[in-house]
Amino acid sequence: MPIDKIFKDDASEEKGERARMASFIGAMAVADLVKSTLGPKGMDKILQSTGRGHSVTVTNDGATILKSLHIDNPAAKVLVDISKVQDDEVGDGTTSVVVLAGELLREAEKLVTSKIHPMTIIAGYRMAAECARDALLKRVIDNKENAEKFRSDLMKIAMTTLCSKILSQDKEHFAEMAVDAVLRLKGSTNLEAIQIIKKPGGSLRDSFLDEGFILDKKIGIGQPKRIENAKILVANTAMDTDKVKIYGARVRVDSMTKVAEIEGAEKEKMKDKVNKILAHGINCFVNRQLIYNFPEELFADAGVLAIEHADFEGIERLGLVTGGEIASTFDNPESVKLGHCKLIEEIMIGEDKLIHFSGVEMGQACSIVLRGASHHVLDEAERSLHDALCVLSQTVNDSRVLLGGGWPEMVMAKEVDELARKTAGKKSHAIEAFSRALVAIPTTIADNAGLDSAELVAQLRAEHHTEGCNAGIDVISGAVGDMEERGIYEAFKVKQAVLLSATEAAEMILRVDEIITCAPRRREDRM
Amino acid sequence: MALAFDEFGRPFIILREQDQKTRLRGIDAQKANIAAGKAVARILRSSLGPKGMDKMLQGPDGDVTITNDGATILEQMDVDNQIAKLMVELSRSQDYEIGDGTTGVVVMAGALLEQAERQLDRGIHPIRVAEGYEMASRVAVEHLERISQKFEFDVNNFEPLVQTCMTTLSSKIVNRCKRSLAEIAVKAVLAVADLERRDVNLDLIKIEGKVGGNLEDTELIYGILVDKDMSHPQMPKQIEDAHIAILTCPFEPPKPKTKHKVDIDTVEKFETLRKQEQQYFDEMVQKCKDVGATLVICQWGFDDEANHLLMHRNLPAVRWVGGVELELIAIATGGRIVPRFQELTPGKLGKAGMVREKSFGTTKERMLYIEHCANSKAVTIFIRGGNKMMIEETKRSIHDALCVARNLIRNKSIVYGGGAAEIACSLAVDAAADKYPGVEQYAIRAFAEALDSVPMALAENSGLQPIETLSAVKSQQLKENIPFYGIDCNDVGTNDMREQNVFETLIGKQQQILLATQVVKMILKIDDVISNSEY
């Protein structure tokens, strides 16, 4: 009796070995795709979007690359997902996590072909991951108490993160900027408070961190261009025609004179509002919404600087920086908190005029102005800087650091290898495989830099056999070296997240023995 | 086929457009149905047990789900065959009723169908097979009742509950930290349980997930978690001893339902309207303030002006809170949902010891914790995990664990897992078979065989020799007359499920057997399948 088909048309089912093969191949393909971007000498990718304009992105940020891929293979989607989460959670290591997961699966494939059950592999991987984490925990360095040392740690981490990006030429400059910006946040992880303004022109080296606050807006015509000791009212209110908000209200008149009267009343109302605002005793007014010509003129008459249409984040940041509250009603001028700053002036960056608030009261927010040759460079610089900022802000909270340059992987691999030797049963193969997958990361870094990876990794392994060794791969000089001396550091939190989520993802894909694909939903517009 | 002749020998057609329909009759129909049912069961078979594998499902929009929860797999499988749909229904009803054992019930039904096919080949009428199954299931359920054990727990000693939940969780991907998750599930259920009435309203347990962190960070919050932040960025992020006004009316000018027009034709009217509008906002905020609220939670949006007035009067507020969450907040804080400002009274305010905003990760994601509520009977389980699929799967696993804990509070009886209960039932049914005269005897024996298939699948998935292991356990049970021996899936070294602490709920197991038998009976009774061919 032939079995009727159970699924709907177009739905497909893959089982057992085939399913496993399909997911392994998909996941490894994705890992291989981003593999060449790993490390300080990693290459970039060009992404061309299929949307209108075919906009082009040049990047070597793993998460950005994977986000823009159209992937059909479900296992590959799992990898894309972990890279995205890594980006959201710690901001860096988005490539490493995918490469590690890919290597784990590659090793698992070999084990599966030699007839080891996936569940046994998972059990081995779990033990290995646990052991690897403990190995890292034993070797972490924590300089939280010593502020000066902590700052130098942060600098080193920022430089290590930046050296794999487009900013590597000026990494010291940018690392300094990033560390300063993050330390101003005083432990908060809200990176919104750091504003990044991109202005094409100049070179990357001309980028700077501004202690004050820069608003990408123009000052209204006829208003003062420079205000000292500014009192700022930050507002979110309609300054166009102030509508009557009561539902169903409409104006119905029967003669021209009445129209004029109503118009007059409307103007009066606006004037009232402006007067109320002026009663706060301010000399600068920043509004989130549009300011029409009429009120703007009134402000100009009163010698008040009015800035319209600052976006929501701009308003929020301005509130943070100047310490003013965001106001929407103006009836009680005495109780509204105004923002203060020493100086407001219009500055020129490249060809654009920007408004610069300096000498602000609370220094929680700051602005970074990026300069560069083209939009692509700026976009990539922003992504790189964002990675560095993320890592730093996480490190401020969890101040444990590790050495970089493949050092943590080697430390973990060594411990895991030892565990494999002690473990009885089939699991030990899986544990051994885990350590091989870990070693693949320094191998890839060396390969990408065009070095003899086999030679270097073997050297490194030998070095690591001695207790308390700090050896890692120095890609710049192309040799094994002491990482502590070269100042290559990484954040513990990033490494831990890479290790755990890569293991988790590999485990998830390994457990699958059947893939059921539903028929793609029919799009209406194809009809 | 469906052609008849009238008394003059002229053919007439019974089914409309019959040549466009495919039709299966008699034994062919039964065979086809059985084959379809078996095919579905076969898919799930490898997911059974602690060493079961997962399935990866790609939905119609390309979204990926990885799970080994039977109900979820079947629900998302995009099934077309009628009988296969019946199996999907079967698993769903087990999910609704019990919440756990959704894979087991389908595997069981598949095994019953397989055995039924064999009986049909022998020439036994399907109805007789169905009746035999019915009798056998009664025997099995009674036997389960006999071998079940009461076990004692109370609010302070919930260790047995945790053990049972761990059995459920051990077959999921979360088994890495099953201990802590089981504890969370049990504590959550105990927090909302009504021990007097022996009932648990699982709606009071909210499961929230957020990507990031690891599974170990999953926590139980005695309160409510709302995925919202304060309406104004400068409102305080932490409120102690909050009095909460729960509103379902917007902080906006009134919008009467009836159609109306306010005509403005003179300047005076324009002025008065403006004044009234201002007054209206003022009044709204004042009313909230007057009753002593220190936090406003609103289902709707705020006007900019109202928002600032709230901020100005030092009254933090949260907007756009969903209806379900609003209800939970009302239950937890002991407040009343107020539809109009006029009806606000101090008695209607909810109380919470602590309300705080917490931010996550590098992106600007904030959540609002409402804790130490007046009425602690609403809790939230907050799941963290490496990726979206992990969170979804953890949610499903926690749901299963919650259901198990609830079932135990309803009915304290347990049976032993790891296939022990099935083996015991199989022995009992086999022994009972001889007492029945007639053809049903064979069906009853077939039922006993089918019961064996569950432990067999367990052994197979765990990489053990299925036939060898099963027969060893079976003889052990028979020899010592103890129904605790099962399959040693985790390679612990003992077959005694009491020692391994592998429990399942009695009602769950009973329900599995009853539901599977019912569906199989239904499938066996079908002798004609008429389906429209492609249209």
Side-chain angles (χ1 to χ4, degrees):
Chain A
M1 190 80 221
I3 299 171
D4 274 20
K5 66 175 186 3
I6 309 172
F7 299 109
K8 283 199 182 120
D9 298 341
D10 298 336
S12 65
E13 182 193 6
E14 283 186 67
K15 282 213 244 341
E17 285 304 301
R18 285 199 50 178
R20 209 164 285 142
M21 210 55 82
S23 48
F24 283 168
I25 289 172
M28 281 190 288
V30 167
D32 286 343
L33 183 81
V34 293
K35 206 171 172 179
S36 66
T37 65
L38 192 72
K41 294 271 170 91
M43 305 299 276
D44 289 4
K45 308 263 175 220
I46 283 190
L47 306 166
Q48 189 173 23
S49 82
T50 49
R52 195 183 295 163
H54 294 279
S55 63
V56 171
T57 316
V58 184
T59 182
N60 82 355
D61 180 43
T64 315
I65 298 172
L66 292 175
K67 239 185 273 176
S68 4
L69 290 179
H70 291 285
I71 290 176
D72 198 35
N73 187 302
K77 278 191 182 149
V78 176
L79 289 197
V80 175
D81 201 52
I82 56 168
S83 142
K84 219 183 286 172
V85 172
Q86 178 84 8
D87 194 26
D88 288 348
E89 201 47 24
V90 285
D92 193 28
T94 50
T95 313
S96 317
V97 68
V98 175
V99 172
L100 184 59
E103 288 303 326
L104 284 174
L105 287 172
R106 198 188 305 274
E107 293 295 336
E109 190 200 3
K110 283 182 209 153
L111 293 178
V112 170
T113 35
S114 61
K115 298 271 175 286
I116 292 180
H117 195 269
M119 284 299 167
T120 320
I121 304 178
I122 289 172
Y125 276 11
R126 275 189 187 166
M127 283 171 70
E130 196 67 25
C131 159
R133 199 172 79 151
D134 291 344
L136 283 188
L137 274 172
K138 256 186 269 164
R139 300 290 300 268
V140 290
I141 311 162
D142 193 344
N143 284 331
K144 184 108 196 165
E145 265 68 68
N146 188 337
E148 205 158 296
K149 250 199 163 158
F150 183 52
R151 195 190 148 85
S152 90
D153 276 359
L154 285 181
M155 272 301 285
K156 284 171 188 160
I157 289 173
M159 293 217 286
T160 312
T161 307
L162 289 172
C163 75
S164 64
K165 319 274 171 172
I166 198 167
L167 302 175
S168 61
Q169 297 304 318
D170 306 306
K171 62 182 177 192
E172 269 176 48
H173 181 62
F174 281 99
E176 191 94 28
M177 261 164 55
V179 171
D180 277 343
V182 168
L183 284 180
R184 287 176 82 85
L185 291 180
K186 299 188 181 78
S188 126
T189 54
N190 186 2
L191 292 180
E192 294 277 323
I194 301 174
Q195 189 190 23
I196 300 181
I197 296 172
K198 295 176 284 184
K199 287 284 165 206
S203 74
L204 280 174
R205 191 170 281 279
D206 297 336
S207 309
F208 61 92
L209 171 85
D210 197 280
E211 305 261 316
F213 181 78
I214 292 176
L215 200 62
D216 195 354
K217 285 282 171 279
K218 288 194 183 65
I219 294 176
I221 300 157
Q223 290 165 352
K225 297 271 185 272
R226 186 188 155 92
I227 296 176
E228 276 176 45
N229 278 335
K231 292 195 201 81
I232 307 160
L233 180 66
V234 188
N236 174 17
T237 184
M239 288 302 272
D240 34 12
T241 48
D242 208 355
K243 282 188 245 33
V244 177
K245 282 172 188 152
I246 289 169
Y247 184 70
R250 61 168 190 179
V251 180
R252 172 170 260 180
V253 287
D254 40 20
S255 71
M256 284 306 284
T257 41
K258 289 256 171 75
V259 176
E261 273 170 25
I262 300 259
E263 204 196 334
E266 227 168 53
K267 264 197 174 158
E268 200 56 39
K269 185 178 165 192
M270 187 46 77
K271 207 167 177 178
D272 258 12
K273 195 164 180 180
V274 173
N275 282 337
K276 267 188 212 155
I277 291 169
L278 292 176
H280 289 69
I282 54 166
N283 45 20
C284 176
F285 175 72
V286 185
N287 192 19
R288 190 171 83 84
Q289 299 174 21
L290 280 175
I291 303 177
Y292 266 27
N293 287 354
F294 176 63
E296 194 176 324
E297 187 197 320
L298 292 175
F299 281 124
D301 282 350
V304 168
L305 172 62
I307 301 162
E308 64 167 7
H309 218 256
D311 52 8
F312 203 84
E313 276 100 49
I315 283 288
E316 225 171 274
R317 280 196 206 108
L318 201 59
L320 265 179
V321 174
T322 61
E325 72 175 36
I326 302 170
S328 294
T329 55
F330 310 100
D331 290 328
N332 322 324
E334 63 284 350
S335 61
V336 173
K337 259 199 285 172
L338 296 177
H340 293 281
C341 81
K342 290 256 159 55
L343 179 67
I344 301 175
E345 60 182 342
E346 202 175 49
I347 54 167
M348 299 274 289
I349 296 178
E351 294 218 311
D352 297 303
K353 287 181 192 161
L354 301 166
I355 304 168
H356 182 224
F357 297 79
S358 56
V360 291
E361 273 186 355
M362 280 185 276
Q364 286 223 2
C366 55
S367 299
I368 291 176
V369 179
L370 287 178
R371 307 299 312 273
S374 73
H375 274 293
H376 302 305
V377 173
L378 285 176
D379 284 347
E380 178 64 359
E382 187 191 1
R383 274 192 291 275
S384 316
L385 198 60
H386 177 254
D387 280 7
L389 289 174
C390 286
V391 174
L392 290 177
S393 68
Q394 294 296 330
T395 318
V396 169
N397 287 341
D398 182 352
S399 61
R400 289 173 289 183
V401 294
L402 294 165
L403 295 175
W407 177 85
E409 281 82 9
M410 295 312 288
V411 169
M412 290 192 274
K414 187 180 158 225
E415 288 288 321
V416 172
D417 257 340
E418 251 155 49
L419 175 74
R421 258 173 256 150
K422 276 181 265 171
T423 314
K426 279 190 275 194
K427 270 183 266 182
S428 76
H429 292 288
I431 300 174
E432 234 175 304
F434 195 92
S435 110
R436 275 201 297 277
L438 284 171
V439 175
I441 288 195
T443 314
T444 315
I445 294 179
D447 274 340
N448 285 346
L451 303 171
D452 185 353
S453 62
E455 171 68 27
L456 280 177
V457 171
Q459 252 182 34
L460 203 56
R461 194 197 297 268
E463 290 263 345
H464 270 268
H465 216 68
T466 52
E467 210 45 56
C469 150
N470 292 332
I473 295 180
D474 184 355
V475 179
I476 313 296
S477 67
V480 170
D482 190 323
M483 289 295 116
E484 201 176 355
E485 276 171 26
R486 319 247 152 138
I488 299 178
Y489 279 76
E490 280 179 84
F492 169 72
K493 204 165 171 194
V494 174
K495 271 281 144 275
Q496 175 182 276
V498 166
L499 181 71
L500 293 182
S501 31
T503 319
E504 218 164 66
E507 186 180 312
M508 233 166 153
I509 294 171
L510 266 174
R511 279 175 70 106
V512 171
D513 75 334
E514 186 156 337
I515 302 175
I516 298 166
T517 316
C518 292
R521 197 183 297 284
R522 300 245 156 89
R523 303 258 180 256
E524 314 271 300
D525 53 17
R526 282 204 194 142
M527 299 300 283
Chain B
M1 275 193 288
L3 205 63
F5 298 92
D6 62 9
E7 64 261 44
F8 305 110
R10 285 177 307 202
F12 68 90
I13 292 165
I14 303 170
L15 288 172
R16 201 150 54 95
E17 294 167 357
Q18 63 165 332
D19 47 334
Q20 284 176 25
K21 289 175 178 148
T22 49
R23 186 164 182 212
L24 283 172
R25 301 183 61 184
I27 204 85
D28 280 345
Q30 269 132 5
K31 285 276 178 73
N33 292 343
I34 287 174
K38 265 162 58 186
V40 173
R42 201 196 55 227
I43 292 176
L44 286 192
R45 199 179 153 96
S46 65
S47 287
L48 195 71
K51 293 269 169 92
M53 305 294 278
D54 288 3
K55 306 278 176 257
M56 192 182 268
L57 300 151
Q58 194 169 19
D61 299 318
D63 44 331
V64 178
T65 313
I66 299 181
T67 180
N68 78 357
D69 180 48
T72 316
I73 298 173
L74 289 175
E75 210 140 296
Q76 305 208 348
M77 222 160 60
D78 209 4
V79 164
D80 202 24
N81 186 292
Q82 309 307 318
I83 300 302
K85 274 184 188 159
L86 274 181
M87 302 291 265
V88 175
E89 283 288 317
L90 167 69
S91 156
R92 196 179 300 160
S93 57
Q94 174 84 8
D95 195 24
Y96 286 162
E97 205 41 46
I98 307 296
D100 187 34
T102 49
T103 314
V105 69
V106 175
V107 171
M108 178 83 208
L112 284 174
L113 285 173
E114 200 173 333
Q115 292 296 333
E117 194 179 15
R118 221 169 280 169
Q119 302 309 315
L120 292 183
D121 284 345
R122 277 183 171 167
I124 300 177
H125 194 271
I127 295 295
R128 304 297 284 272
V129 177
E131 265 162 28
Y133 276 5
E134 178 71 44
M135 290 173 194
S137 73
R138 234 175 288 142
V139 174
V141 168
E142 272 165 28
H143 187 69
L144 278 179
E145 191 92 60
R146 239 188 333 271
I147 62 168
S148 73
Q149 295 199 335
K150 293 262 176 229
F151 82 155
E152 288 311 316
F153 64 87
D154 54 57
V155 182
N156 300 318
N157 173 26
F158 48 78
E159 185 58 27
L161 281 176
V162 176
Q163 293 287 359
T164 321
C165 286
M166 271 165 71
T167 310
T168 307
L169 290 175
S170 66
S171 67
K172 316 280 178 187
I173 195 165
V174 296
N175 63 1
R176 184 156 46 97
C177 38
K178 60 180 174 185
R179 173 83 215 179
S180 62
L181 287 184
E183 272 175 23
I184 286 175
V186 170
K187 277 184 197 157
V189 168
L190 284 179
V192 301
D194 187 344
L195 289 173
E196 303 268 289
R197 279 195 305 125
R198 302 196 150 277
D199 198 13
V200 183
N201 184 359
L202 284 187
D203 287 343
L204 294 177
I205 302 176
K206 196 166 154 238
I207 304 181
E208 275 281 343
K210 188 129 212 142
V211 180
N214 26 358
L215 213 49
E216 282 84 356
D217 299 337
T218 302
E219 56 180 336
L220 175 68
I221 296 160
Y222 289 95
I224 308 282
L225 197 62
V226 190
D227 197 355
K228 291 276 178 295
D229 51 3
M230 295 291 180
S231 63
H232 196 287
Q234 285 162 339
M235 283 177 181
K237 306 276 180 244
Q238 187 164 340
I239 304 152
E240 273 169 49
D241 209 4
H243 293 249
I244 306 169
I246 305 160
L247 297 171
T248 53
C249 46
F251 271 93
E252 272 165 14
K255 282 182 186 162
K257 296 275 184 325
T258 45
K259 253 195 176 163
H260 70 286
K261 283 189 185 108
V262 184
D263 279 347
I264 304 170
D265 47 9
T266 59
V267 176
E268 290 76 51
K269 275 193 188 165
F270 186 83
E271 295 281 322
T272 39
L273 208 58
R274 208 181 100 198
K275 285 234 172 64
Q276 259 172 11
E277 186 188 289
Q278 269 175 356
Q279 218 176 350
Y280 186 78
F281 282 129
D282 221 34
E283 240 168 57
M284 282 193 295
V285 179
Q286 195 54 45
K287 271 198 185 108
C288 298
K289 199 80 190 165
D290 281 348
V291 291
T294 54
L295 175 69
V296 178
I297 289 178
C298 184
Q299 199 178 5
W300 303 102
F302 300 162
D303 195 273
D304 286 342
E305 277 178 45
N307 200 1
H308 178 246
L309 279 175
L310 284 169
M311 153 78 194
H312 198 81
R313 305 257 170 111
N314 212 359
L315 194 59
V318 187
R319 59 182 152 183
W320 299 122
V321 178
V324 184
E325 280 153 352
L326 210 64
E327 257 170 53
L328 274 176
I329 293 173
I331 293 171
T333 60
R336 292 263 296 276
I337 298 177
V338 181
R340 267 188 300 191
F341 288 102
Q342 287 78 13
E343 285 165 25
L344 264 176
T345 56
K348 285 179 181 170
L349 295 181
K351 287 176 190 62
M354 169 77 91
V355 178
R356 64 197 164 95
E357 204 181 81
K358 199 176 165 190
S359 54
F360 296 97
T362 59
T363 43
K364 193 179 140 194
E365 301 220 39
R366 303 203 189 100
M367 280 184 144
L368 206 64
Y369 284 64
I370 302 175
E371 290 172 308
H372 309 297
C373 301
N375 178 3
S376 64
K377 279 206 179 282
V379 296
T380 307
I381 297 176
F382 185 46
I383 300 170
R384 307 300 311 273
N387 55 44
K388 208 169 60 213
M389 290 150 222
M390 193 77 190
I391 301 247
E392 289 303 312
E393 179 66 359
T394 312
K395 269 189 194 172
R396 282 189 286 271
S397 313
I398 294 252
H399 170 78
D400 283 9
L402 289 176
C403 289
V404 168
R406 175 192 62 178
N407 293 339
L408 279 176
I409 287 174
R410 278 195 189 154
N411 183 346
K412 284 186 183 172
S413 304
I414 50 149
V415 290
Y416 289 90
E422 280 88 355
I423 296 172
C425 283
S426 159
L427 287 172
V429 172
D430 215 15
D434 296 335
K435 288 180 205 143
Y436 288 91
V439 191
E440 283 86 357
Q441 207 184 81
Y442 283 88
I444 297 174
R445 284 213 190 93
F447 192 92
E449 290 247 324
L451 279 170
D452 281 347
S453 72
V454 172
M456 196 103 97
L458 273 179
E460 222 173 285
N461 290 343
S462 313
L464 303 168
Q465 297 284 344
I467 300 177
E468 212 172 284
T469 321
L470 179 63
S471 46
V473 173
K474 217 170 178 179
S475 73
Q476 207 176 357
Q477 275 211 9
L478 201 60
K479 221 185 291 163
E480 300 176 27
N481 202 14
I482 299 174
F484 306 142
Y485 293 115
I487 308 287
D488 177 20
C489 299
N490 288 325
D491 225 13
V492 179
T494 170
N495 279 335
D496 194 335
M497 291 296 135
R498 263 181 316 180
E499 266 174 53
Q500 286 205 19
N501 284 324
V502 179
F503 309 120
E504 283 179 77
T505 54
L506 171 67
I507 36 176
K509 216 47 331 145
Q510 281 180 332
Q511 197 74 20
Q512 261 187 8
I513 291 178
L514 288 176
L515 281 174
T517 314
Q518 260 174 33
V519 167
V520 168
K521 262 172 65 192
M522 192 151 85
I523 294 175
L524 284 176
K525 276 188 179 163
I526 300 168
D527 77 332
D528 202 340
V529 181
I530 305 167
S531 51
N532 281 322
S533 54
E534 292 306 303
Y535 43 85

